Amino acid sequence: MNIILLGAPGAGKGTQAELLVKKLSIPAISTGNMLREAIANGTELGKKAKQFMDEGALVPDELILGIVADRVAQPDCQNGFILDGVPRTLAQAEALEDKGVVIDHVVSIEVDDAEIEGRMTGRRVCGSCGASYHIVANPPKTEGVCDHCGKELIIRKDDKPETVRHRLEVYHASTEVLKDFYGKLGRLRLVNGSQSIEGANEDILKVIGAKE
């Protein structure tokens, strides 16, 4: 079962992908994680991608699709996979079809912009150990201090209000057209992402036919 997860930044795609991996026993392919690893390792791809990500812009199709094509060819993807963060544009979606990457279900996790902004601007990350918190949903025991290592919590550039708003604009401009594309192919499934994580996961399993 090959699945694409759609949704704005902060809609919960990564969290739902982790749950689906356990329940469906297929790998999640997160381009975000792959790009971050490439940047951390200083690869040529990482250096190119970093320029775009720093500006809050989308990484060009040829970089993204190169990563994805290599990954879905791996043996662990033979029984299916979950794509998280790709495709982001109509051109990417069409390119996946052209490459023969068959997608069974496209699940769009629906959350309104105001809620997304609240989720993301409330995030805090430990600059030392990388632990993640949220000032409302998952606050640290001491404000501004990591529970695990006692170091200072920071606001990532990605989570600053102006960056979040820009990312949402980019998302709506580039990615919303994917719903029309996959809707016409009969593969689009809409799920309410404003409910509990467990509730959203139950709904995803139902719409892909993995649960009665």
Side-chain angles (χ1 to χ4, degrees):
M1 186 182 290
N2 300 341
I3 302 165
I4 288 172
L5 290 182
L6 292 181
K13 296 189 300 295
T15 300
Q16 292 300 334
E18 286 176 18
L19 293 172
L20 292 171
V21 164
K22 293 173 186 171
K23 294 182 179 180
L24 302 175
S25 299
I26 56 177
I29 302 171
S30 167
T31 51
N33 287 344
M34 287 185 186
L35 287 169
R36 279 189 283 274
E37 284 172 17
I39 289 168
N41 295 332
T43 66
E44 205 56 44
L45 170 64
K47 289 173 187 172
K48 289 178 183 175
K50 187 175 188 301
Q51 290 178 290
F52 294 95
M53 292 172 76
D54 283 349
E55 293 165 7
L58 293 177
V59 178
D61 291 352
E62 61 269 20
L63 294 184
I64 294 290
L65 294 174
I67 293 172
V68 175
D70 287 347
R71 186 65 186 86
V72 299
Q74 299 299 315
D76 64 334
C77 290
Q78 286 182 356
N79 294 323
F81 53 81
I82 302 160
L83 286 183
D84 170 14
V86 67
R88 286 185 175 177
T89 65
L90 185 57
Q92 287 180 2
E94 290 172 340
L96 283 177
E97 294 287 314
D98 291 343
K99 286 177 181 291
V101 179
V102 179
I103 302 300
D104 302 303
H105 302 284
V106 179
V107 178
S108 178
I109 302 172
E110 303 282 299
V111 183
D112 67 44
D113 285 3
E115 185 175 340
I116 291 286
E117 198 168 326
R119 287 183 184 185
M120 296 184 71
T121 56
R123 282 202 296 215
R124 301 291 183 270
V125 178
C126 178
S128 179
C129 74
S132 183
Y133 301 87
H134 190 280
I135 56 175
V136 176
N138 178 35
K141 291 172 185 171
T142 304
E143 186 177 344
V145 179
C146 179
D147 293 349
H148 302 288
C149 69
K151 296 296 171 72
E152 182 185 4
L153 299 181
I154 59 172
I155 303 173
R156 296 188 316 168
K157 184 182 176 184
D158 275 1
D159 297 331
K160 290 181 178 176
E162 60 273 19
T163 308
V164 171
R165 283 190 284 271
H166 177 65
R167 290 177 71 193
L168 285 169
E169 286 171 13
V170 170
Y171 169 75
H172 289 304
S174 305
T175 317
E176 286 283 319
V177 291
L178 292 174
K179 289 185 190 177
D180 292 333
F181 178 73
Y182 287 114
K184 286 170 185 170
L185 293 175
R187 301 178 199 165
L188 183 66
R189 322 280 182 249
L190 302 181
V191 170
N192 174 15
S194 295
Q195 60 183 315
S196 69
I197 291 169
E198 295 78 12
N201 190 249
E202 288 277 322
D203 285 354
I204 290 171
L205 291 171
K206 284 176 189 171
V207 298
I208 65 174
K211 190 165 187 171
E212 293 299 324

